Amino acid sequence: MAGAAMALVLVVQGSGAALAQDAAKEFSAGETEAFQKMVREYLLQNPEIIVEALQTYEQRQQLAETERQREALIAERSNLNEDPLSPVLGNPEGDVTVVEFFDYRCPYCRRAAEVLQELVAEDPNVRLVMKEYPILSQESVEAARAALAAAKQDKYESFHFTLMETGGSMSEAEVMAVAQATGLDVERLQRDMQLPEIEEALRRNYALAETVGITGTPAMVIGTALVPGVVSLERLKELVAEARAQAS
C-alpha cells in the first residue's frame, strides 16, 4: 500500500502541476489557488476517494504483473518443460506437464512432494518436471547436486522422495545415508556431483526462476498458471484439468 500511495502522490502532484500550468493560462494566480484549495478540501472531506483510487491502482498493478508473468511462462515454456538437464517423473509422454521448483530443506516442499506423488499415482497422463532450486542453505545446494547425480544411476525418483521423507538438516552424512539406503553407488555419486553439467542445471534453474517470477519454494507451473506454495490434491487436479482443456 505504501508503494501505491507514493505512486498516487506522484501522479496527483504531476497532474496538479499540469493543471496549475493550464489554469495559469486562463485564470489569475488567485483563481488558481482557490481552485487548488477547493480540490484539497473536497478530498479531505471525502477521503474514501483516495482509498478507492489506491485500491484501483493496486488492482491494475496486480493485473499487469499477472499478465507479465503469464507472458513469461509462455515465452519460457520450452525451458520449463523440455530442459534435458531437468529430471522427469510420472509419464514422460503425458499430456499435461507439471513443473515444480523445490528445496530439500523446505518443510513445505516435503508436503508438496506427498501431494505430487498422489497426483501422479492417480493421473497416469501427468508429466512431472523437477527443478532443483536450492535457496535455503549450502546444504540445500549439496542435496540438489546429489539428487541430480543420482539421475545418472537412474535412481533420481527413489532418492528424491526418500530424501524428502527423511527431512533433517541435509548434512552430507544424512544425504549419503539416503544414497546408501536407495542403492546408489556412493563413490560414483560423489564424483558425479562435481560434474559441470550439474552446476549448469542449477544455474539454469536459478535464471529461469528469476525470469518467471519465482521467489520461494515450493512453486509449480501448470500450463500458464504459476502456483506458489502448497496446494491440495483437489486443487492440483483442477489446475491439471484446466491445462488439459486449454491444450485440447
Side-chain angles (χ1 to χ4, degrees):
M1 181 67 78
M6 179 61 71
L8 182 63
V9 168
L10 292 173
V11 170
V12 170
Q13 287 178 339
S15 300
L19 286 171
Q21 290 175 357
D22 291 341
K25 297 176 183 177
E26 300 182 13
F27 303 116
S28 67
E31 290 172 330
T32 299
E33 184 179 350
F35 173 74
Q36 292 174 335
K37 181 179 180 181
M38 179 179 66
V39 170
R40 181 177 183 278
E41 289 177 351
Y42 180 80
L43 291 175
L44 288 174
Q45 292 171 9
N46 300 274
E48 66 276 6
I49 292 176
I50 297 177
V51 175
E52 291 174 8
L54 288 171
Q55 290 173 340
T56 299
Y57 175 81
E58 286 194 332
Q59 289 170 358
R60 289 177 179 174
Q61 290 294 97
Q62 290 171 356
L63 287 173
E65 175 58 22
T66 299
E67 179 59 20
R68 186 206 69 78
Q69 203 166 63
R70 189 186 74 83
E71 291 175 355
L73 292 175
I74 293 172
E76 296 295 333
R77 180 170 292 164
S78 177
N79 290 327
L80 286 163
N81 296 354
E82 308 295 340
D83 188 336
L85 296 181
S86 295
V88 177
L89 305 181
N91 181 357
E93 305 300 325
D95 62 348
V96 173
T97 297
V98 176
V99 182
E100 187 197 16
F101 288 75
F102 60 91
D103 184 309
Y104 286 108
R105 289 203 65 200
C106 166
Y108 301 105
C109 294
R110 292 196 281 274
R111 289 169 53 192
E114 296 175 4
V115 178
L116 286 170
Q117 278 185 297
E118 293 176 3
L119 175 69
V120 169
E122 293 189 20
D123 190 332
N125 284 316
V126 166
R127 180 173 178 270
L128 182 57
V129 176
M130 313 303 291
K131 297 289 187 182
E132 304 279 345
Y133 184 48
I135 57 175
L136 296 180
S137 69
Q138 184 58 36
E139 287 78 13
S140 299
V141 173
E142 295 306 311
R145 289 179 182 277
L148 291 170
K152 293 190 167 298
Q153 299 184 44
D154 296 322
K155 291 185 179 294
Y156 179 88
E157 183 170 4
S158 58
F159 182 79
H160 168 79
F161 286 115
T162 303
L163 203 57
M164 281 295 185
E165 292 168 4
T166 302
S169 65
M170 296 297 151
S171 68
E172 181 181 2
E174 290 172 327
V175 172
M176 292 305 124
V178 170
Q180 186 76 44
T182 51
L184 283 157
D185 180 333
V186 175
E187 290 185 2
R188 178 186 171 188
L189 182 80
Q190 291 173 325
R191 290 196 305 271
D192 289 345
M193 286 172 64
Q194 308 307 318
L195 290 172
E197 66 189 74
I198 301 293
E199 181 65 29
E200 175 63 13
L202 294 178
R203 186 197 66 76
R204 290 186 192 182
N205 291 349
Y206 288 131
L208 186 57
E210 182 176 1
T211 299
V212 300
I214 291 173
T215 57
T217 56
M220 299 179 204
V221 178
I222 307 173
T224 58
L226 175 56
V227 187
V230 182
V231 295
S232 67
L233 177 61
E234 290 69 26
R235 179 56 182 152
L236 269 185
K237 288 180 178 178
E238 291 174 0
L239 291 164
V240 167
E242 290 171 10
R244 189 167 279 145
Q246 290 173 0
S248 62

